[in-house]
Amino acid sequence: MSEIKVPAMGESITEGTVSRWLVKEGETVNQGDVLLELETDKVNIEISAEESGVLEKIVRQEGETVEIGETIGTLSAGTGGGSGASASQPAATEQKQSAPAPEAPTPPPAPVAVAPESSDSSSKTASPSARKLARERGIELDQVQSKDPIGRVYQDDVKTHNTQSVAPSAPPAKAPAAAPSAPAAGGSTYTKPVERQRMSRRRATIAKRLVEAQQTAAMLTTFNEVDMTAIMDVRKRRKDKFKEKHEINLGFMSFFTKAVVGALKKFPTINAEIDGEDVVLKKYYDIGIAVSAKEGLVVPVVRDADRLGFAEIEKSIADLASKARSNTLALSDLQGGTFTITNGGTFGSLLSTPILNTPQVGILGMHKIQLRPVAIDAERMENRPMMYIALSYDHRIIDGSEAVRFLVTVKELLEDPESLLIEG
């Protein structure tokens, strides 16, 4: 019998969650068959059988958190359940032959009175602090009236119940301050419908890291706007030939990636990270591109973006986005990254303040392109396709003037697309 263990999945991953078992106990598997899916903070991992046999036991169930190296199931060597059944049959026969004659049936024991359950066994949903206080004061949670719309009992509800029970002479209230349910037409009550869903491991990790980024970094955001006329003109004139030659569409992301790389070369601190009391200046440009997937936002990385042409950048982004949506990203696709670009404009966002993708110290937010009146000179106004851009940065190592000049550089490079070939 062999143990099924959680494999090592990269230096930054120490645990995962059993997403689902694809094989049931007692089923036969062949070497290489996928046994289960494991969800980690970054990607989903498939764990395969290292040998053929029968899945004897599932040790860790779906939804449980497991650590690297932990046993999550056992697999018996063999060809299938048939051999296991035949092997156990003689033993069962032998046991049957050697077993002593059955004794006379013992009369059932007399019924024993069961003490009433404590407040912890109540069917009511309650917060841990409410349950603790109820135990200390000897209060049954079923008797506590909740002010919560969905009936959850909190510590204040227990305190209020205790006060009312201590003073029995007080007249009963006509109606609760906030009813847990609303009256129906016939005078009965109904519970307002809710649905409780457990966060996926990835969503919980995203939430944790976003909060950590706001708590640990001195994050500020500066804004500017870009006139997209020149880029849209280039795309209009060149898109057909570009696709014919490179078999990929000419999008906006390649322009923005090139502009970001050009600006990072002028302001290297924004391509750095903080390590204790040191600033680590990175001399390479691995640009993270935020992609919305089913389980939440992921940031795959375009490696060495400064060495890539427009077509190579577009192909890399398209490939990574496809992997993200099909949940086939590898850890190597997500690790590292020196700066991030996120495009809320694809969802219609006009303006936002992106949150840092730590340990990076800068992130650029793109937004919706919208026609707005722009002053061409003192006498002329024109409707131009404008985009707001935002740079969130860590003020611990990046000064405000540096952040503003970085964003101005990005703006100037985008408004003069030919310069991207020179500056890049």
Side-chain angles (χ1 to χ4, degrees):
M1 181 179 295
S2 61
E3 295 180 336
I4 304 167
K5 295 189 176 183
V6 179
M9 296 173 288
E11 58 182 14
S12 62
I13 298 178
T14 60
E15 61 181 19
T17 301
V18 178
S19 177
R20 61 170 179 158
W21 281 92
L22 304 178
V23 181
K24 297 179 181 178
E25 289 184 351
E27 289 187 351
T28 303
V29 296
N30 296 318
Q31 183 179 10
D33 287 352
V34 178
L35 300 175
L36 72 151
E37 290 181 356
L38 196 68
E39 182 183 6
T40 72
D41 299 346
K42 297 180 178 180
V43 294
N44 284 11
I45 304 293
E46 293 181 342
I47 297 181
S48 303
E50 296 183 356
E51 59 183 72
S52 300
V54 178
L55 182 60
E56 288 288 340
K57 185 178 181 181
I58 294 176
V59 178
R60 303 306 295 269
Q61 302 298 322
E62 294 179 0
E64 291 190 62
T65 299
V66 293
E67 297 181 352
I68 303 301
E70 183 176 347
T71 299
I72 54 179
T74 56
L75 187 69
S76 66
T79 58
S83 61
S86 61
S88 61
Q89 188 173 355
T93 304
E94 181 181 351
Q95 182 180 6
K96 183 176 179 181
Q97 292 174 350
S98 61
E103 298 179 358
T106 305
V112 179
V114 180
E117 295 181 345
S118 65
S119 59
D120 276 354
S121 63
S122 166
S123 60
K124 269 197 173 183
T125 304
S127 67
S129 59
R131 290 187 178 277
K132 182 175 183 295
L133 184 61
R135 286 196 303 270
E136 293 173 351
R137 299 189 178 184
I139 299 172
E140 295 290 340
L141 285 175
D142 286 333
Q143 300 175 2
V144 178
Q145 192 171 40
S146 169
K147 299 181 179 65
D148 186 68
I150 64 173
R152 183 179 174 88
V153 177
Y154 291 93
Q155 189 177 36
D156 288 342
D157 298 322
V158 179
K159 291 180 180 178
T160 303
H161 175 85
N162 190 62
T163 302
Q164 292 173 346
S165 62
V166 170
S169 59
K174 296 290 184 180
S181 55
S188 60
T189 59
Y190 67 91
T191 302
K192 294 182 178 181
V194 297
E195 180 181 355
R196 185 183 297 272
Q197 294 182 345
R198 184 181 180 88
M199 278 190 184
S200 68
R201 184 173 188 84
R202 192 172 305 160
R203 172 59 65 184
T205 301
I206 290 171
K208 179 182 177 181
R209 289 180 178 172
L210 291 177
V211 172
E212 287 178 351
Q214 290 184 309
Q215 292 176 341
T216 59
M219 193 172 68
L220 291 179
T221 305
T222 184
F223 304 91
N224 213 315
E225 62 178 351
V226 178
D227 185 344
M228 300 291 289
T229 302
I231 289 179
M232 295 181 76
D233 179 63
V234 170
R235 290 181 70 238
K236 183 178 180 180
R237 289 186 289 106
R238 300 285 186 177
K239 65 179 182 179
D240 292 337
K241 289 185 178 180
F242 187 89
K243 186 172 184 178
E244 181 181 349
K245 180 178 180 179
H246 301 290
E247 298 182 344
I248 189 74
N249 289 323
L250 178 59
F252 292 111
M253 290 306 301
S254 53
F255 289 92
F256 274 82
T257 303
K258 282 287 189 180
V260 160
V261 170
L264 289 174
K265 288 182 177 180
K266 289 187 176 181
F267 302 94
T269 307
I270 302 178
N271 197 51
E273 70 175 70
I274 299 174
D275 183 14
E277 295 185 355
D278 296 332
V279 176
V280 181
L281 298 172
K282 300 174 182 178
K283 304 297 185 179
Y284 57 95
Y285 304 90
D286 289 352
I287 307 301
I289 306 295
V291 177
S292 178
K294 183 180 178 180
E295 292 295 329
L297 197 71
V298 292
V299 187
V301 179
V302 177
R303 305 290 176 186
D304 298 317
D306 57 318
R307 302 179 183 181
L308 303 180
F310 280 76
E312 292 171 308
I313 292 174
E314 292 290 352
K315 288 179 180 179
S316 295
I317 294 173
D319 179 56
L320 293 170
S322 176
K323 287 183 178 180
R325 296 186 181 100
S326 61
N327 202 24
T328 56
L329 283 170
L331 287 175
S332 58
D333 295 324
L334 299 166
Q335 291 173 335
T338 62
F339 186 91
T340 294
I341 302 174
T342 179
N343 186 5
T346 57
F347 305 103
S349 172
L350 186 62
L351 190 63
S352 67
T353 55
I355 298 177
L356 290 174
N357 181 22
T358 54
Q360 298 171 24
V361 295
I363 180 172
L364 180 75
M366 300 168 55
H367 299 92
K368 179 182 178 181
I369 300 173
Q370 191 173 57
L371 283 174
R372 290 198 293 273
V374 176
I376 304 302
D377 52 38
E379 298 179 354
R380 291 184 302 151
M381 297 283 291
E382 286 186 11
N383 286 332
R384 292 289 184 93
M386 305 298 293
M387 176 194 286
Y388 290 119
I389 56 175
L391 173 71
S392 291
Y393 60 98
D394 194 336
H395 203 6
R396 290 179 297 172
I397 62 170
I398 301 170
D399 294 331
S401 62
E402 187 177 15
V404 170
R405 286 182 290 141
F406 172 90
L407 205 57
V408 169
T409 301
V410 171
K411 167 186 169 66
E412 291 173 346
L413 290 172
L414 292 170
E415 291 182 342
D416 182 14
E418 292 180 359
S419 65
L420 294 175
L421 300 174
I422 302 173
E423 299 292 340

